[in-house]
Amino acid sequence: MLTIDQIEDFDRDGFVLIEGMFSIDEVAILRRAANLAARVREHTVVAHDADGNESPLAIWRDIGEDVFGMVSASPRVVNSMRAMLREDVYHWHSKVMLKYPEGGGAWEWHQDYGYWYRDGCPYPRLASAMIVIDEAMKVNGCLKVMVGSHLLGRLDHANVGNQHGVEPERAKALESRLPIQFVEAKPGSALFFHCNLIHASEPNLSEFSRLAYICCYNAFSNIPIIGQGHGPPIPIQLTSDDAILQFA
Ligand code: SIN
Ligand code: MN
């Protein structure tokens, strides 16, 4: 469970990094699934960054019975989300970010709410938990964030590659105004971030893979008012804390 200080960090900065939320053994199971599971192969789509590099990800809306589902419904993640959003949440989607060595593409500066507003959510009351699978370093394109940018509110987004990005001129100006933090983190760390936090990542030009699993949640007060949204707003059945290890 998060401490009051960690929740205050999230409120002030728009993100908080919790080291060691998952053990090395749990991450090893998750890594094997990220590399081998049919679910990942069958759900992979490819986004393109502004330079045309491929940024593949595997994305789904259901909480399955596999190791990914055990993480998305884990009390560690879901109860932290409830604490940060101050209410109960439901699963929005989960995705494996497949940033492979030597060429994994960039993600342009964006707010997730830039996408999810278009999905009909009335409020910016969603957040994500990025579970670090491979050590995230500057050299393999770790996430970078504009500290405190969630307080700007939702910004207009334009098409950049086939991604939605903060309008390039505004993103550039904000880069010189707000502190930029590269979120380097060890496997098993969890980065919780607000849907209006401006974030991006650079291409992976290194020999090191940078896989991460991101679970996203929406508050029950924020069910889409237009369209179908992502996952249906059903209460999450929490898994037990040792559920992941059962997939060893
Ligand atoms: C990344 O994995 O580098 C980007 C993740 C995101 O945009 O949520
Ligand atoms: Mn994002």
Side-chain angles (χ1 to χ4, degrees):
M1 198 57 184
L2 299 187
T3 64
I4 302 280
D5 283 352
Q6 288 166 334
I7 294 172
E8 281 176 5
D9 288 350
F10 177 82
D11 288 345
R12 185 191 57 241
D13 298 333
F15 68 98
V16 61
L17 179 69
I18 312 294
E19 289 178 4
M21 182 165 259
F22 291 91
S23 70
I24 292 305
D25 289 345
E26 289 174 321
V27 175
I29 296 166
L30 195 56
R31 182 181 295 112
R32 190 180 62 207
N35 281 312
L36 297 175
R39 175 184 277 273
V40 173
R41 268 198 316 280
E42 287 161 8
H43 290 81
T44 296
V45 292
V46 180
H48 290 95
D49 66 19
D51 296 326
N53 301 310
E54 294 192 346
S55 309
L57 70 157
I59 182 164
W60 47 79
R61 297 175 175 185
D62 62 310
I63 294 186
E65 297 292 317
D66 54 10
V67 63
F68 298 110
M70 299 304 116
V71 176
S72 299
S74 84
R76 281 169 268 180
V77 174
V78 177
N79 287 335
S80 302
M81 278 293 162
R82 290 170 169 160
M84 277 177 289
L85 293 177
R86 272 76 167 184
E87 66 168 292
D88 200 5
V89 297
Y90 67 93
H91 183 244
W92 183 247
H93 67 221
S94 290
K95 53 203 173 196
V96 184
M97 307 308 289
L98 300 162
K99 200 173 230 192
Y100 295 123
E102 282 146 19
W107 287 92
E108 310 296 338
W109 286 118
H110 68 280
Q111 298 168 313
D112 290 334
Y113 193 52
Y115 290 82
W116 300 338
Y117 175 80
R118 296 185 190 193
D119 292 324
C121 289
Y123 300 101
R125 295 185 55 72
L126 307 94
S128 299
M130 180 183 220
I131 318 299
V132 176
I133 299 178
D134 293 322
E135 180 166 0
M137 304 171 278
K138 225 170 161 174
V139 75
N140 63 355
C142 67
L143 207 71
K144 56 181 181 177
V145 301
M146 293 193 194
V147 181
S149 55
H150 62 309
L151 300 175
L152 294 165
R154 182 180 64 84
L155 303 178
D156 286 344
H157 283 59
N159 290 337
V160 187
N162 71 348
Q163 303 176 17
H164 297 316
V166 173
E167 291 172 326
E169 190 186 354
R170 185 169 291 262
K172 203 162 186 312
L174 286 168
E175 266 188 282
S176 49
R177 177 76 173 261
L178 293 173
I180 308 292
Q181 188 170 322
F182 285 82
V183 186
E184 296 195 300
K186 299 278 185 215
S189 307
L191 176 75
F192 290 85
F193 60 101
H194 188 279
C195 64
N196 265 340
L197 183 77
I198 303 177
H199 57 285
S201 66
E202 294 176 8
N204 184 2
L205 304 178
S206 78
E207 62 193 288
F208 307 109
S209 164
R210 203 229 70 188
L211 301 183
Y213 183 52
I214 305 184
C215 313
C216 309
Y217 303 86
N218 191 20
F220 273 103
S221 64
N222 195 34
I223 293 170
I225 50 173
I226 300 168
Q228 301 302 313
H230 285 201
I234 42 179
I236 298 172
Q237 293 291 323
L238 292 183
T239 54
S240 65
D241 243 340
D242 63 355
I244 299 164
L245 293 175
Q246 289 167 12
F247 287 84

